[in-house]
Coordinates of all heavy atoms in Angstrom, one line a residue:
M1 N -5.8 15.0 -31.2 CA -6.5 13.8 -31.7 C -6.7 13.9 -33.2 O -6.9 15.0 -33.8 CB -7.9 13.7 -31.1 CG -8.7 12.6 -31.5 SD -10.3 12.5 -30.7 CE -10.2 13.3 -29.2
V2 N -6.5 12.8 -33.9 CA -6.7 12.8 -35.4 C -7.8 11.9 -35.7 O -7.8 10.7 -35.2 CB -5.4 12.3 -36.1 CG1 -5.6 12.2 -37.6 CG2 -4.2 13.3 -35.8
R3 N -8.7 12.3 -36.5 CA -9.9 11.5 -36.9 C -9.9 11.2 -38.4 O -9.4 12.1 -39.2 CB -11.2 12.2 -36.5 CG -11.4 12.4 -35.1 CD -12.8 13.2 -34.9 NE -13.0 13.4 -33.5 CZ -13.8 12.6 -32.7 NH1 -14.4 11.6 -33.2 NH2 -14.0 12.9 -31.5
R4 N -10.4 10.1 -38.8 CA -10.7 9.8 -40.2 C -12.2 9.5 -40.1 O -12.6 8.5 -39.7 CB -10.0 8.5 -40.6 CG -8.5 8.7 -40.6 CD -7.9 9.2 -41.9 NE -6.4 9.1 -41.9 CZ -5.6 10.1 -41.8 NH1 -6.1 11.4 -41.7 NH2 -4.3 10.0 -41.8
G5 N -13.0 10.5 -40.6 CA -14.4 10.3 -40.5 C -14.8 10.4 -39.1 O -14.5 11.3 -38.3
N6 N -15.5 9.4 -38.6 CA -16.0 9.3 -37.2 C -15.0 8.5 -36.3 O -15.4 8.2 -35.2 CB -17.4 8.7 -37.1 CG -18.4 9.6 -37.7 OD1 -18.3 10.8 -37.7 ND2 -19.4 9.0 -38.4
H7 N -13.9 8.1 -36.8 CA -13.0 7.2 -36.1 C -11.7 8.0 -35.7 O -11.1 8.7 -36.5 CB -12.6 6.0 -37.0 CG -13.7 5.2 -37.4 ND1 -14.4 4.3 -36.6 CD2 -14.4 5.2 -38.6 CE1 -15.4 3.7 -37.2 NE2 -15.4 4.3 -38.5
V8 N -11.4 7.8 -34.4 CA -10.1 8.4 -33.9 C -9.0 7.4 -34.3 O -9.1 6.2 -34.1 CB -10.1 8.5 -32.4 CG1 -8.8 8.9 -31.8 CG2 -11.2 9.5 -31.9
V9 N -8.0 7.9 -35.0 CA -6.9 7.1 -35.5 C -5.6 7.4 -34.7 O -4.6 6.6 -34.7 CB -6.6 7.2 -37.0 CG1 -7.9 6.7 -37.7 CG2 -6.3 8.6 -37.4
A10 N -5.5 8.5 -34.0 CA -4.3 8.8 -33.2 C -4.7 9.8 -32.1 O -5.5 10.7 -32.4 CB -3.2 9.4 -34.0
A11 N -4.2 9.6 -30.9 CA -4.5 10.5 -29.8 C -3.3 10.5 -28.8 O -2.5 9.5 -28.8 CB -5.8 10.0 -29.1
A12 N -3.2 11.6 -28.1 CA -2.1 11.7 -27.1 C -2.6 12.5 -25.9 O -3.5 13.3 -26.1 CB -0.9 12.3 -27.7
G13 N -2.1 12.3 -24.8 CA -2.4 13.0 -23.6 C -1.4 12.7 -22.5 O -0.3 12.1 -22.8
Y14 N -1.7 13.1 -21.3 CA -0.8 12.8 -20.2 C -1.6 12.7 -18.9 O -2.7 13.2 -18.8 CB 0.3 13.8 -20.1 CG -0.1 15.2 -19.8 CD1 -0.4 15.7 -18.5 CD2 -0.2 16.1 -20.9 CE1 -0.8 17.0 -18.3 CE2 -0.7 17.4 -20.7 CZ -0.9 17.8 -19.4 OH -1.3 19.1 -19.2
R15 N -1.0 12.0 -18.0 CA -1.5 11.9 -16.6 C -0.6 12.6 -15.7 O 0.7 12.4 -15.8 CB -1.7 10.4 -16.2 CG -2.1 10.3 -14.8 CD -2.3 8.9 -14.4 NE -3.6 8.5 -15.0 CZ -4.1 7.3 -14.7 NH1 -3.5 6.4 -14.0 NH2 -5.3 7.0 -15.3
R16 N -1.1 13.4 -14.8 CA -0.2 14.1 -13.9 C 0.2 13.1 -12.8 O -0.6 12.4 -12.2 CB -1.0 15.3 -13.2 CG -1.2 16.4 -14.1 CD -1.9 17.6 -13.4 NE -0.9 18.1 -12.5 CZ -0.7 19.4 -12.3 NH1 -1.6 20.3 -12.8 NH2 0.2 19.9 -11.4
W17 N 1.5 13.1 -12.7 CA 2.1 12.3 -11.6 C 2.7 13.2 -10.5 O 2.9 14.4 -10.7 CB 3.3 11.5 -12.2 CG 2.9 10.2 -12.9 CD1 1.6 9.9 -13.3 CD2 3.7 9.1 -13.3 NE1 1.6 8.7 -14.0 CE2 2.9 8.2 -14.0 CE3 5.0 8.9 -13.2 CZ2 3.3 7.0 -14.5 CZ3 5.5 7.7 -13.7 CH2 4.7 6.7 -14.3
P18 N 3.0 12.6 -9.4 CA 3.5 13.5 -8.3 C 4.8 14.1 -8.7 O 5.6 13.7 -9.6 CB 3.8 12.4 -7.2 CG 2.9 11.3 -7.5 CD 2.8 11.2 -9.0
G19 N 5.1 15.3 -8.2 CA 6.3 16.0 -8.5 C 6.2 16.8 -9.8 O 7.2 17.1 -10.4
L20 N 5.0 17.1 -10.2 CA 4.8 18.0 -11.4 C 5.3 17.3 -12.7 O 5.8 17.9 -13.6 CB 5.4 19.3 -11.2 CG 4.9 20.2 -10.1 CD1 5.7 21.5 -10.0 CD2 3.4 20.4 -10.2
V21 N 5.1 16.0 -12.8 CA 5.4 15.2 -14.0 C 4.2 15.0 -14.8 O 3.1 14.7 -14.3 CB 6.1 13.9 -13.5 CG1 6.3 13.0 -14.8 CG2 7.4 14.1 -12.8
A22 N 4.4 15.1 -16.1 CA 3.3 14.8 -17.1 C 3.7 13.5 -17.8 O 4.6 13.4 -18.6 CB 3.1 15.9 -18.1
H23 N 3.1 12.4 -17.4 CA 3.4 11.0 -17.9 C 2.7 10.9 -19.3 O 1.5 10.8 -19.3 CB 3.0 9.9 -17.0 CG 3.3 8.6 -17.5 ND1 4.6 8.1 -17.8 CD2 2.5 7.6 -17.9 CE1 4.5 6.9 -18.3 NE2 3.2 6.5 -18.3
M24 N 3.4 10.9 -20.4 CA 2.8 11.0 -21.7 C 2.3 9.6 -22.1 O 2.8 8.6 -21.8 CB 3.9 11.4 -22.7 CG 4.6 12.7 -22.4 SD 3.6 14.1 -22.0 CE 2.7 14.3 -23.5
C25 N 1.2 9.7 -22.9 CA 0.6 8.5 -23.5 C 0.2 8.8 -25.0 O -0.4 9.8 -25.2 CB -0.6 8.1 -22.7 SG -1.4 6.6 -23.4
V26 N 0.6 8.0 -25.9 CA 0.3 8.2 -27.3 C -0.2 6.9 -27.9 O 0.4 5.8 -27.7 CB 1.6 8.7 -28.1 CG1 1.3 8.9 -29.5 CG2 2.2 9.9 -27.4
L27 N -1.3 7.0 -28.6 CA -1.8 5.8 -29.3 C -2.1 6.1 -30.8 O -2.6 7.2 -31.1 CB -3.1 5.3 -28.6 CG -3.0 5.0 -27.2 CD1 -4.4 4.8 -26.6 CD2 -2.2 3.7 -27.0
T28 N -1.8 5.1 -31.6 CA -2.1 5.3 -33.1 C -2.6 3.9 -33.5 O -2.1 2.9 -33.2 CB -0.8 5.6 -33.9 OG1 -0.2 6.8 -33.3 CG2 -1.2 5.9 -35.3
K29 N -3.7 4.0 -34.3 CA -4.3 2.8 -34.9 C -3.2 2.1 -35.7 O -2.6 2.8 -36.5 CB -5.5 3.2 -35.7 CG -6.4 2.1 -36.1 CD -7.6 2.6 -36.8 CE -8.5 1.4 -37.3 NZ -9.7 1.8 -38.0
P30 N -3.1 0.8 -35.6 CA -2.0 0.1 -36.3 C -1.9 0.4 -37.8 O -0.8 0.6 -38.4 CB -2.3 -1.4 -36.1 CG -3.0 -1.4 -34.7 CD -3.8 -0.1 -34.7
N31 N -3.1 0.4 -38.5 CA -3.0 0.7 -40.0 C -2.8 2.1 -40.3 O -2.7 2.5 -41.5 CB -4.2 0.1 -40.7 CG -5.5 0.8 -40.3 OD1 -5.6 1.4 -39.2 ND2 -6.5 0.8 -41.1
E32 N -2.6 3.0 -39.3 CA -2.4 4.4 -39.6 C -1.0 4.8 -39.2 O -0.6 6.0 -39.2 CB -3.4 5.3 -38.8 CG -4.8 5.1 -39.3 CD -5.1 5.8 -40.6 OE1 -4.3 6.7 -41.0 OE2 -6.2 5.5 -41.2
R33 N -0.1 3.9 -38.8 CA 1.2 4.2 -38.3 C 2.1 4.5 -39.4 O 1.8 4.3 -40.6 CB 1.7 3.0 -37.5 CG 0.9 2.8 -36.2 CD 1.4 1.7 -35.4 NE 0.6 1.6 -34.1 CZ 0.5 0.6 -33.4 NH1 1.1 -0.5 -33.7 NH2 -0.3 0.6 -32.3
E34 N 3.3 5.1 -39.1 CA 4.3 5.5 -40.1 C 3.9 6.6 -40.9 O 4.4 6.8 -42.1 CB 4.8 4.3 -40.9 CG 5.3 3.1 -40.1 CD 6.6 3.4 -39.4 OE1 7.4 4.2 -39.9 OE2 6.8 2.9 -38.3
R35 N 3.0 7.5 -40.4 CA 2.5 8.6 -41.2 C 2.8 9.9 -40.4 O 2.3 11.0 -40.9 CB 1.0 8.5 -41.5 CG 0.7 7.3 -42.3 CD -0.7 7.1 -42.6 NE -0.9 5.9 -43.4 CZ -2.1 5.5 -43.8 NH1 -3.2 6.2 -43.5 NH2 -2.2 4.4 -44.4
G36 N 3.4 9.9 -39.3 CA 3.7 11.1 -38.5 C 2.6 11.5 -37.6 O 2.7 12.6 -37.0
L37 N 1.6 10.7 -37.5 CA 0.4 11.1 -36.6 C 0.8 11.1 -35.1 O 0.4 12.0 -34.4 CB -0.7 10.1 -36.9 CG -1.3 10.1 -38.3 CD1 -2.4 9.1 -38.4 CD2 -1.8 11.5 -38.7
A38 N 1.6 10.1 -34.7 CA 2.0 10.0 -33.3 C 2.8 11.2 -32.9 O 2.6 11.8 -31.9 CB 2.8 8.7 -33.0
R39 N 3.7 11.6 -33.8 CA 4.5 12.8 -33.5 C 3.7 14.0 -33.5 O 3.9 14.9 -32.6 CB 5.6 12.9 -34.6 CG 6.5 14.0 -34.4 CD 7.6 14.1 -35.4 NE 8.5 15.2 -35.2 CZ 9.5 15.4 -36.0 NH1 9.8 14.6 -37.0 NH2 10.3 16.5 -35.7
A40 N 2.7 14.2 -34.3 CA 1.8 15.3 -34.4 C 1.0 15.5 -33.1 O 1.0 16.5 -32.5 CB 0.9 15.3 -35.6
V41 N 0.3 14.4 -32.7 CA -0.5 14.5 -31.5 C 0.3 14.6 -30.3 O -0.1 15.3 -29.3 CB -1.6 13.4 -31.5 CG1 -2.5 13.4 -32.6 CG2 -0.9 12.0 -31.4
A42 N 1.4 13.9 -30.2 CA 2.3 13.9 -29.0 C 2.9 15.3 -28.8 O 3.0 15.8 -27.7 CB 3.4 12.9 -29.1
S43 N 3.2 16.0 -29.9 CA 3.8 17.3 -29.8 C 2.8 18.3 -29.1 O 3.2 19.1 -28.3 CB 4.3 17.9 -31.1 OG 3.2 18.1 -32.0
I44 N 1.6 18.1 -29.4 CA 0.5 19.0 -28.8 C 0.4 18.6 -27.3 O 0.3 19.6 -26.5 CB -0.8 18.8 -29.5 CG1 -0.7 19.3 -31.0 CG2 -1.9 19.5 -28.8 CD1 -1.8 18.9 -31.9
A45 N 0.4 17.4 -27.0 CA 0.3 17.0 -25.6 C 1.5 17.4 -24.8 O 1.4 17.9 -23.6 CB 0.1 15.5 -25.4
V46 N 2.7 17.3 -25.3 CA 3.9 17.8 -24.7 C 3.9 19.3 -24.4 O 4.1 19.8 -23.3 CB 5.2 17.4 -25.5 CG1 6.4 18.1 -24.9 CG2 5.4 15.9 -25.4
A47 N 3.4 20.0 -25.5 CA 3.3 21.5 -25.3 C 2.3 21.9 -24.2 O 2.6 22.8 -23.5 CB 2.9 22.1 -26.7
D48 N 1.2 21.1 -24.2 CA 0.2 21.4 -23.1 C 0.8 21.2 -21.7 O 0.6 22.0 -20.8 CB -1.0 20.6 -23.3 CG -2.1 20.9 -22.4 OD1 -2.8 21.9 -22.6 OD2 -2.3 20.2 -21.4
G49 N 1.6 20.1 -21.6 CA 2.2 19.8 -20.3 C 3.2 20.9 -19.9 O 3.2 21.3 -18.8
L50 N 4.0 21.3 -20.8 CA 4.9 22.4 -20.6 C 4.2 23.7 -20.2 O 4.6 24.4 -19.3 CB 5.9 22.6 -21.7 CG 6.8 21.5 -22.0 CD1 7.5 21.7 -23.4 CD2 7.9 21.3 -20.9
A51 N 3.1 24.0 -20.9 CA 2.3 25.2 -20.6 C 1.7 25.2 -19.2 O 1.5 26.2 -18.6 CB 1.2 25.4 -21.7
N52 N 1.5 23.9 -18.7 CA 1.0 23.8 -17.4 C 2.1 23.6 -16.3 O 1.8 23.1 -15.2 CB 0.0 22.6 -17.4 CG -1.3 23.0 -18.0 OD1 -2.0 23.9 -17.5 ND2 -1.7 22.4 -19.1
H53 N 3.3 23.9 -16.7 CA 4.5 23.9 -15.8 C 4.8 22.5 -15.3 O 5.2 22.3 -14.2 CB 4.3 24.9 -14.6 CG 3.9 26.2 -15.1 ND1 4.8 27.1 -15.7 CD2 2.8 26.9 -15.0 CE1 4.3 28.2 -16.0 NE2 3.0 28.1 -15.6
L54 N 4.6 21.5 -16.2 CA 4.9 20.1 -15.9 C 6.1 19.6 -16.6 O 6.4 20.2 -17.7 CB 3.7 19.2 -16.2 CG 2.4 19.6 -15.5 CD1 1.2 18.7 -16.0 CD2 2.5 19.4 -14.0
L55 N 6.7 18.6 -16.1 CA 7.9 18.0 -16.8 C 7.4 16.8 -17.6 O 7.0 15.8 -16.9 CB 8.9 17.6 -15.8 CG 10.2 16.9 -16.3 CD1 11.0 17.8 -17.3 CD2 11.0 16.4 -15.2
P56 N 7.4 16.9 -18.9 CA 6.9 15.7 -19.7 C 7.9 14.5 -19.5 O 9.1 14.7 -19.5 CB 7.0 16.2 -21.1 CG 6.9 17.7 -21.0 CD 7.6 18.0 -19.7
Q57 N 7.3 13.3 -19.3 CA 8.1 12.1 -19.2 C 7.5 11.1 -20.2 O 6.3 10.9 -20.2 CB 7.9 11.5 -17.8 CG 8.5 10.1 -17.6 CD 8.2 9.5 -16.3 OE1 9.0 9.7 -15.4 NE2 7.1 8.9 -16.1
W58 N 8.4 10.4 -20.9 CA 7.9 9.5 -21.9 C 8.6 8.1 -21.6 O 9.8 8.0 -21.7 CB 8.4 9.9 -23.3 CG 7.8 9.2 -24.4 CD1 7.8 7.8 -24.7 CD2 7.1 9.8 -25.5 NE1 7.2 7.6 -25.9 CE2 6.8 8.7 -26.4 CE3 6.7 11.1 -25.9 CZ2 6.1 8.9 -27.6 CZ3 6.1 11.3 -27.0 CH2 5.7 10.2 -27.9
R59 N 7.9 7.1 -21.2 CA 8.4 5.8 -20.9 C 8.2 4.9 -22.1 O 7.2 4.4 -22.3 CB 7.8 5.2 -19.7 CG 8.0 6.0 -18.4 CD 7.2 5.5 -17.3 NE 8.1 4.9 -16.3 CZ 7.7 4.2 -15.3 NH1 6.4 4.0 -15.1 NH2 8.5 3.7 -14.4
A60 N 9.2 4.9 -23.0 CA 9.1 4.2 -24.3 C 9.9 2.9 -24.2 O 11.1 2.9 -24.0 CB 9.7 5.1 -25.4
R61 N 9.2 1.8 -24.5 CA 9.8 0.5 -24.6 C 10.0 0.1 -26.1 O 11.1 -0.2 -26.5 CB 9.0 -0.5 -23.8 CG 9.1 -0.3 -22.3 CD 8.5 -1.5 -21.6 NE 8.3 -1.1 -20.2 CZ 7.2 -1.3 -19.5 NH1 6.2 -1.8 -20.0 NH2 7.2 -0.9 -18.2
P62 N 8.9 0.0 -26.9 CA 9.0 -0.4 -28.3 C 9.8 0.7 -29.1 O 9.7 1.9 -28.8 CB 7.6 -0.5 -28.8 CG 6.7 -0.5 -27.6 CD 7.5 0.2 -26.5
E63 N 10.6 0.2 -30.0 CA 11.4 1.1 -30.8 C 10.6 2.2 -31.5 O 11.1 3.3 -31.5 CB 12.3 0.3 -31.7 CG 13.3 1.2 -32.5 CD 14.2 2.1 -31.6 OE1 14.5 1.7 -30.5 OE2 14.5 3.2 -32.1
P64 N 9.5 1.9 -32.1 CA 8.7 3.0 -32.7 C 8.4 4.1 -31.8 O 8.4 5.3 -32.1 CB 7.5 2.3 -33.3 CG 7.9 0.9 -33.5 CD 8.9 0.6 -32.4
S65 N 8.0 3.7 -30.5 CA 7.8 4.8 -29.5 C 9.0 5.5 -29.2 O 9.0 6.8 -29.0 CB 7.2 4.1 -28.3 OG 6.9 5.0 -27.3
R66 N 10.1 4.9 -29.1 CA 11.4 5.6 -28.8 C 11.8 6.5 -29.9 O 12.3 7.6 -29.7 CB 12.5 4.5 -28.7 CG 12.4 3.7 -27.4 CD 13.5 2.6 -27.5 NE 13.3 1.7 -26.3 CZ 14.2 1.7 -25.3 NH1 15.3 2.4 -25.3 NH2 14.0 0.8 -24.3
R67 N 11.5 6.2 -31.2 CA 11.8 7.1 -32.3 C 10.9 8.3 -32.2 O 11.4 9.4 -32.4 CB 11.5 6.4 -33.6 CG 12.6 5.4 -34.1 CD 12.5 5.0 -35.5 NE 11.2 4.4 -35.9 CZ 11.0 3.1 -35.8 NH1 11.9 2.3 -35.4 NH2 9.8 2.6 -36.2
V68 N 9.6 8.2 -31.9 CA 8.8 9.4 -31.7 C 9.3 10.2 -30.6 O 9.4 11.5 -30.7 CB 7.3 9.0 -31.5 CG1 6.5 10.2 -31.2 CG2 6.8 8.2 -32.7
A69 N 9.6 9.6 -29.5 CA 10.2 10.4 -28.3 C 11.4 11.1 -28.7 O 11.6 12.3 -28.4 CB 10.4 9.4 -27.2
R70 N 12.4 10.5 -29.4 CA 13.6 11.2 -29.8 C 13.3 12.3 -30.8 O 13.9 13.4 -30.7 CB 14.6 10.1 -30.4 CG 15.3 9.3 -29.4 CD 16.4 8.5 -30.1 NE 16.0 7.6 -31.1 CZ 15.6 6.3 -31.0 NH1 15.7 5.8 -29.8 NH2 15.3 5.6 -32.0
A71 N 12.4 12.1 -31.7 CA 12.0 13.1 -32.6 C 11.5 14.4 -31.9 O 11.6 15.5 -32.5 CB 11.0 12.6 -33.7
L72 N 10.9 14.2 -30.8 CA 10.3 15.3 -30.0 C 11.3 15.9 -29.0 O 11.0 16.8 -28.3 CB 9.1 14.9 -29.3 CG 7.9 14.6 -30.2 CD1 6.7 14.1 -29.4 CD2 7.5 15.8 -31.1
G73 N 12.6 15.4 -29.0 CA 13.6 15.9 -28.2 C 13.8 15.2 -26.8 O 14.6 15.7 -26.0
F74 N 13.1 14.1 -26.6 CA 13.3 13.4 -25.3 C 14.6 12.6 -25.4 O 15.1 12.2 -26.4 CB 12.2 12.4 -25.1 CG 10.9 13.0 -24.7 CD1 10.0 13.5 -25.6 CD2 10.5 13.1 -23.3 CE1 8.8 14.1 -25.2 CE2 9.4 13.6 -22.9 CZ 8.5 14.1 -23.9
R75 N 15.3 12.5 -24.2 CA 16.5 11.8 -24.1 C 16.3 10.7 -23.1 O 15.6 10.8 -22.1 CB 17.6 12.7 -23.6 CG 18.0 13.8 -24.5 CD 19.1 14.6 -24.0 NE 18.8 15.2 -22.7 CZ 19.6 15.3 -21.7 NH1 20.9 15.0 -21.8 NH2 19.2 15.8 -20.5
Q76 N 17.0 9.5 -23.3 CA 16.9 8.4 -22.4 C 17.8 8.7 -21.2 O 19.0 9.0 -21.3 CB 17.3 7.1 -23.0 CG 17.2 5.9 -22.1 CD 17.5 4.6 -22.8 OE1 17.4 4.5 -24.0 NE2 17.8 3.6 -22.0
L77 N 17.2 8.7 -20.0 CA 17.9 8.9 -18.7 C 17.9 7.8 -17.8 O 18.5 7.8 -16.7 CB 17.3 10.1 -18.0 CG 17.3 11.5 -18.8 CD1 16.6 12.6 -18.0 CD2 18.8 11.9 -19.1
G78 N 17.3 6.7 -18.2 CA 17.3 5.5 -17.3 C 16.7 4.3 -18.0 O 16.4 4.4 -19.2
A79 N 16.4 3.3 -17.3 CA 15.9 2.1 -17.9 C 14.9 1.5 -16.9 O 15.0 1.8 -15.7 CB 16.9 1.1 -18.2
Q80 N 14.0 0.7 -17.3 CA 13.0 0.0 -16.5 C 13.1 -1.5 -16.8 O 13.2 -1.9 -17.9 CB 11.6 0.5 -16.7 CG 10.6 -0.2 -15.9 CD 9.2 0.4 -16.2 OE1 9.1 1.5 -16.6 NE2 8.2 -0.4 -16.0
L81 N 13.1 -2.3 -15.7 CA 13.1 -3.7 -15.9 C 11.8 -4.3 -15.2 O 11.5 -3.9 -14.0 CB 14.3 -4.3 -15.2 CG 14.4 -5.8 -15.2 CD1 14.5 -6.4 -16.6 CD2 15.6 -6.3 -14.3
S82 N 11.1 -5.1 -15.9 CA 9.9 -5.8 -15.3 C 10.2 -7.2 -15.2 O 10.6 -7.9 -16.2 CB 8.7 -5.5 -16.2 OG 8.4 -4.1 -16.3
I83 N 9.8 -7.8 -14.1 CA 10.0 -9.2 -13.8 C 8.7 -9.8 -13.3 O 8.1 -9.3 -12.4 CB 11.1 -9.5 -12.8 CG1 12.5 -8.9 -13.3 CG2 11.3 -11.0 -12.5 CD1 13.6 -8.9 -12.2
R84 N 8.3 -10.9 -14.0 CA 7.1 -11.6 -13.5 C 7.6 -12.8 -12.6 O 8.4 -13.6 -12.9 CB 6.4 -12.2 -14.7 CG 5.1 -13.0 -14.2 CD 4.4 -13.6 -15.4 NE 3.8 -12.4 -16.1 CZ 3.1 -12.5 -17.2 NH1 3.0 -13.6 -17.9 NH2 2.6 -11.4 -17.7
I85 N 7.0 -12.7 -11.4 CA 7.4 -13.7 -10.4 C 6.2 -14.7 -10.3 O 5.1 -14.3 -10.1 CB 7.6 -13.1 -9.0 CG1 8.8 -12.1 -9.1 CG2 7.8 -14.2 -8.0 CD1 9.0 -11.3 -7.8
R86 N 6.5 -16.0 -10.6 CA 5.5 -17.0 -10.6 C 5.4 -17.6 -9.1 O 6.4 -17.8 -8.5 CB 5.8 -18.1 -11.5 CG 5.8 -17.6 -12.9 CD 6.1 -18.7 -13.9 NE 6.1 -18.1 -15.2 CZ 6.3 -18.7 -16.3 NH1 6.4 -20.0 -16.3 NH2 6.3 -18.1 -17.5
A87 N 4.1 -17.8 -8.7 CA 3.9 -18.3 -7.4 C 4.0 -19.8 -7.3 O 3.9 -20.5 -8.2 CB 2.5 -17.9 -6.9

């Protein structure tokens, strides 16, 4: 977690999924982006997942998220498609 005074500006963590997967989550305050904060906090979360014998998984859709994932060594192995069905 990165703070500016009393405010959190970047944070990362993961949720344990079945099969020993660590589903990564990274958030950065919009006006604090492009400063390497996401990469810094995500690298700590990834290291923690690995230390706990979990397989880190990053589901990145927006390109900035994909850039951070690639910078940390993640590779794209699939794709996800979401469809909204109207009743």
Side-chain angles (χ1 to χ4, degrees):
M1 178 178 339
V2 176
R3 294 179 182 266
R4 299 267 190 254
N6 293 326
H7 302 280
V8 175
V9 297
Y14 60 85
R15 175 177 283 186
R16 286 185 73 138
W17 278 14
L20 300 176
V21 171
H23 178 65
M24 308 307 300
C25 180
V26 182
L27 300 169
T28 304
K29 191 173 176 183
N31 65 335
E32 296 284 347
R33 293 179 179 160
E34 301 295 326
R35 298 179 183 179
L37 299 177
R39 183 176 178 179
V41 295
S43 67
I44 294 167
V46 169
D48 186 78
L50 291 170
N52 285 297
H53 308 288
L54 301 173
L55 175 65
Q57 171 187 269
W58 191 305
R59 295 173 111 187
R61 289 186 193 135
E63 185 53 34
S65 180
R66 290 173 185 249
R67 282 195 303 269
V68 175
R70 283 191 299 266
L72 294 174
F74 284 85
R75 294 180 306 142
Q76 184 172 338
L77 297 177
Q80 178 179 333
L81 175 64
S82 298
I83 299 173
R84 178 178 289 172
I85 299 174
R86 295 183 184 182

